[in-house]
């Protein structure tokens, strides 16, 4: 459904406000008025408007200053500047400050209506683009769900069975098994696939940050809340919300989450307006929630509210027959990222990989392949390019330089080649790390 565009008219002349209000109400917009910039900014703190029509000459604060303040809070806001005293300087300044357009009084109703329609089209296109980006992102990640083992075929069957319902799903499995990919596959195959799938990593946020992230907040709700912000539940309207590491949320958040799941409504932090959202919830955890219920650390009513369907993702050690196809996928992925020709893996190296237990699961295998491509000779991946295998075999001891090179590379990969984060983890300064990278000829894959 196309959303209704909202317009805020800001003008100190009552006759102008009344005329514009009546025009746009008849055209089907939601319209409110403010008689000066101060009143307008107060309205913008409590409500969201898609378009602001602002007069330049007003008592207290002029329209150009108000335009700059609006843009400093929301740079994508659409503000149309109006004036009865048009000059080239003010027109240029308004457009430089980010105004969508500049119109002069008296207005031609047809011209102004045409301008508002163009602004509305831009807003609808931006909304559609955001929805499409999220959808495409989901589809791309479905391709990453790889494996033809019996264990994975069972997972595919469960995804197919639950995708078309609206039932909550809990995805269980060890870290690194691909639980989020399973969630994305459910969403991408569901009737909600054309709407966003919004992910929240519950374990990475404190209770207060998680509350703000899920429910959103109003400006001034807490220190640093500079403007109103939508929460993830609101953003997931008509789509899916994925709550990763659900077992980590506090008792207070468990109560609030249960209420939202039962009513599908909530209030932003610091707000007093009830907001409704139609979302499907999918959770993931590497904990035994039933044991947590028995131990009293997870609410029983929330557990049964979430646990309508459970999908267990197998660890890699239980589907080692998928290792070759996963290795091939990761080689192609990182060769493409490095702009290199795809190289094969040695048979001996592949057999050795299938002998491992992979405590880090698929994430561990992926890191090993990426590392082998970075440090290898570029013709094929061999056993000596896979240091974890070499270590486990008790092969010849590496030199200190080789050990240092391998350790630095592992840290760089772990922090996605973020030099500051890697240097901090290694407890060295950035210059030292750069010197080591040059010394060992380490190269970022991207």
């Amino acid at each position: 459904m196309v959303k209704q565009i909202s317009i805020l008219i800001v003008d100190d002349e009552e006759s102008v406000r009344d005329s514009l209000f009546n025009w746009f109400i008849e055209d089907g917009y939601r319209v409110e008025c403010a008689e000066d910039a101060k009143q307008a900014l107060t309205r913008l703190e409590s409500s969201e408007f898609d378009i602001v029509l602002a007069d330049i000459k007003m008592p207290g604060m002029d329209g150009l200053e108000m335009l700059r303040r609006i843009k400093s809070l929301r740079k994508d806001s659409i503000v149309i500047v109006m004036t009865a005293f048009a000059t080239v300087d003010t027109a240029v300044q308004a457009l430089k400050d980010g105004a969508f357009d500049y119109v002069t009084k008296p207005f031609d109703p047809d011209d102004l209506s045409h301008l508002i329609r163009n602004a509305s089209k831009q807003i609808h296109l931006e909304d559609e683009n955001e929805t499409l980006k999220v959808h495409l992102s989901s589809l791309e990640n479905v391709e990453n769900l790889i494996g033809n083992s019996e264990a994975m075929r069972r997972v595919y069957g469960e995804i197919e069975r639950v995708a078309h319902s609206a039932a909550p799903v809990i995805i269980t499995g060890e870290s690194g098994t691909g639980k989020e990919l399973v969630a994305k596959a459910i969403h991408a195959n569901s009737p909600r696939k054309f709407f966003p799938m919004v992910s929240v990593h519950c374990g990475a946020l404190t209770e207060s940050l998680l509350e703000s992230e899920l429910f959103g907040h109003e400006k001034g709700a807490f220190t640093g809340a500079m403007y109103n912000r939508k929460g993830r539940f609101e953003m997931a309207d008509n789509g899916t919300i994925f709550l990763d590491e659900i077992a980590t949320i506090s008792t207070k958040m468990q109560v609030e989450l249960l209420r939202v799941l039962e009513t599908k409504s909530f209030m932003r932090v610091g707000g007093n307006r009830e907001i409704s959202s139609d979302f499907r919830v999918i959770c993931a955890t590497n904990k035994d929630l039933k044991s947590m219920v028995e131990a009293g650390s997870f609410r029983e009513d929330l557990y049964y509210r979430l646990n309508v369907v459970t999908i267990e993702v197998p660890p890699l050690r239980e589907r080692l027959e998928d290792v070759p196809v996963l290795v091939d996928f990761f080689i192609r992925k990182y060769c493409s990222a490095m702009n290199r020709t795809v190289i094969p893996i040695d048979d001996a190296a592949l057999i050795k990989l299938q002998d491992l237990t992979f405590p880090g699961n698929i994430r561990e295998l992926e890191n090993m392949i990426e590392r082998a491509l970075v440090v290898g000779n570029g013709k094929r991946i061999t056993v000596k390019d896979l240091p974890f295998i070499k270590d486990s075999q008790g092969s010849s001891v590496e030199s200190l330089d080789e050990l240092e090179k391998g350790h630095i590379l592992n840290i760089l990969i772990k922090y996605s080649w973020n030099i500051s984060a890697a240097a901090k983890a290694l407890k060295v300064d950035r210059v030292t790390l750069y010197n080591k990278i040059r010394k060992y000829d380490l190269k970022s894959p991207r």
Side-chain angles (χ1 to χ4, degrees):
M1 186 177 73
V2 178
K3 77 170 185 178
Q4 184 184 33
I5 297 294
S6 55
I7 302 173
L8 178 62
I9 298 164
V10 192
D11 199 303
D12 59 334
E13 291 184 54
E14 186 177 359
S15 59
V16 174
R17 294 197 303 272
D18 289 345
S19 298
L20 293 176
F21 181 86
N22 291 326
W23 287 348
F24 295 128
I25 283 288
E26 285 183 11
D27 285 346
Y29 300 101
R30 180 173 72 82
V31 189
E32 291 187 27
C33 297
E35 61 186 36
D36 56 37
K38 185 178 177 183
Q39 193 179 89
L41 292 170
T42 302
R43 292 278 180 86
L44 287 165
E45 288 175 0
S46 57
S47 301
E48 292 181 4
F49 291 91
D50 298 300
I51 301 170
V52 177
L53 269 167
D55 190 23
I56 286 186
K57 283 195 175 297
M58 292 185 290
M61 181 191 303
D62 67 20
L64 292 178
E65 176 59 24
M66 187 179 76
L67 166 65
R68 287 190 283 272
R69 293 199 182 192
I70 293 174
K71 286 290 179 180
S72 69
L73 294 176
R74 299 174 189 164
K75 64 179 181 181
D76 55 348
S77 300
I78 289 186
V79 180
I80 297 172
V81 174
M82 312 179 289
T83 184
F85 307 96
T87 66
V88 173
D89 288 345
T90 54
V92 170
Q93 189 60 50
L95 296 175
K96 280 175 67 177
D97 289 341
F100 181 78
D101 211 332
Y102 182 93
V103 294
T104 55
K105 299 175 182 176
F107 309 117
D108 180 316
D110 291 336
D111 288 346
L112 197 53
S113 291
H114 181 70
L115 180 60
I116 295 295
R117 280 199 298 275
N118 284 341
S120 301
K121 284 179 184 174
Q122 178 170 314
I123 293 165
H124 290 314
L125 279 174
E126 286 173 356
D127 287 348
E128 287 172 8
N129 283 341
E130 283 304 310
T131 301
L132 188 59
K133 281 180 188 173
V134 174
H135 176 54
L136 288 175
S137 173
S138 299
L139 291 179
E140 286 170 3
N141 282 292
V142 171
E143 294 176 2
N144 294 347
L145 200 57
I146 290 169
N148 196 37
S149 61
E150 185 178 342
M152 283 308 294
R153 288 202 299 273
R154 188 172 61 249
V155 171
Y156 299 149
E158 289 169 343
I159 290 171
E160 192 176 341
R161 277 193 291 279
V162 304
H164 288 278
S165 77
V169 178
I170 292 183
I171 303 169
T172 62
E174 297 176 7
S175 296
T177 50
K179 296 187 288 296
E180 185 167 1
L181 295 182
V182 173
K184 287 180 175 176
I186 294 172
H187 173 74
N189 288 281
S190 75
R192 296 171 180 267
K193 63 185 177 184
F194 296 112
F195 296 93
M197 174 177 162
V198 180
S199 299
V200 183
H201 194 295
C202 301
L205 303 169
T206 62
E207 181 182 279
S208 56
L209 283 175
L210 180 60
E211 185 178 29
S212 172
E213 197 68 26
L214 290 176
F215 305 128
H217 63 251
E218 299 289 332
K219 180 181 178 182
F222 49 82
T223 304
M226 303 294 288
Y227 50 87
N228 297 340
R229 185 173 185 272
K230 285 184 179 180
R232 299 300 179 99
F233 283 124
E234 203 172 342
M235 293 163 67
D237 191 23
N238 293 313
T240 302
I241 186 163
F242 174 61
L243 303 176
D244 198 4
E245 293 199 17
I246 186 69
T248 62
I249 65 172
S250 66
T251 305
K252 175 175 177 286
M253 285 304 299
Q254 290 178 30
V255 175
E256 294 190 17
L257 179 57
L258 179 63
R259 179 186 172 279
V260 174
L261 293 178
E262 290 177 341
T263 64
K264 291 292 178 75
S265 65
F266 51 88
M267 286 191 288
R268 291 178 182 168
V269 177
N272 53 19
R273 183 169 60 94
E274 198 79 15
I275 298 170
S276 296
S277 179
D278 175 23
F279 57 83
R280 180 188 196 176
V281 63
I282 299 177
C283 301
T285 180
N286 57 7
K287 307 290 185 188
D288 183 348
L289 284 183
K290 195 168 184 181
S291 297
M292 291 180 67
V293 170
E294 290 168 359
S297 57
F298 199 85
R299 289 182 66 97
E300 184 176 24
D301 45 7
L302 178 59
Y303 172 71
Y304 286 112
R305 189 73 181 76
L306 292 172
N307 191 31
V308 177
V309 178
T310 299
I311 296 177
E312 184 175 356
V313 186
L316 186 52
R317 64 179 174 278
E318 292 181 7
R319 56 183 189 105
L320 290 172
E321 61 266 46
D322 288 333
V323 167
V325 67
L326 285 164
V327 168
D328 181 66
F329 174 79
F330 291 133
I331 288 175
R332 292 178 185 280
K333 174 182 174 180
Y334 286 105
C335 285
S336 174
M338 298 174 196
N339 199 25
R340 289 170 50 177
T341 303
V342 175
I343 65 171
I345 183 168
D346 189 274
D347 287 345
L350 194 56
I351 290 170
K352 291 291 183 186
L353 282 174
Q354 290 179 283
D355 285 340
L356 298 183
T357 55
F358 290 106
N361 288 295
I362 298 170
R363 193 175 297 144
E364 181 182 358
L365 175 62
E366 180 174 3
N367 287 344
M368 290 175 73
I369 298 301
E370 182 182 8
R371 184 187 187 283
L373 289 170
V374 172
V375 302
N377 62 17
K379 296 177 181 174
R380 61 175 51 235
I381 295 175
T382 64
V383 173
K384 69 180 180 57
D385 299 324
L386 302 168
F388 301 143
I389 292 176
K390 189 160 54 182
D391 290 343
S392 67
Q393 287 176 323
S395 59
S396 60
V397 178
E398 292 176 316
S399 69
L400 281 176
D401 277 357
E402 286 175 317
L403 288 172
E404 183 178 64
K405 177 183 177 182
H407 182 59
I408 291 172
L409 181 60
N410 285 334
I411 295 298
L412 287 167
I413 291 173
K414 180 178 179 180
Y415 290 95
S416 303
W417 284 80
N418 181 318
I419 300 300
S420 296
K424 187 177 179 182
L426 291 165
K427 294 185 171 46
V428 298
D429 57 46
R430 288 164 53 88
V431 174
T432 301
L433 181 54
Y434 273 121
N435 287 337
K436 297 287 185 185
I437 290 172
R438 276 194 292 273
K439 174 183 176 182
Y440 297 125
D441 193 28
L442 301 175
K443 292 183 173 55
S444 168
R446 300 176 185 84

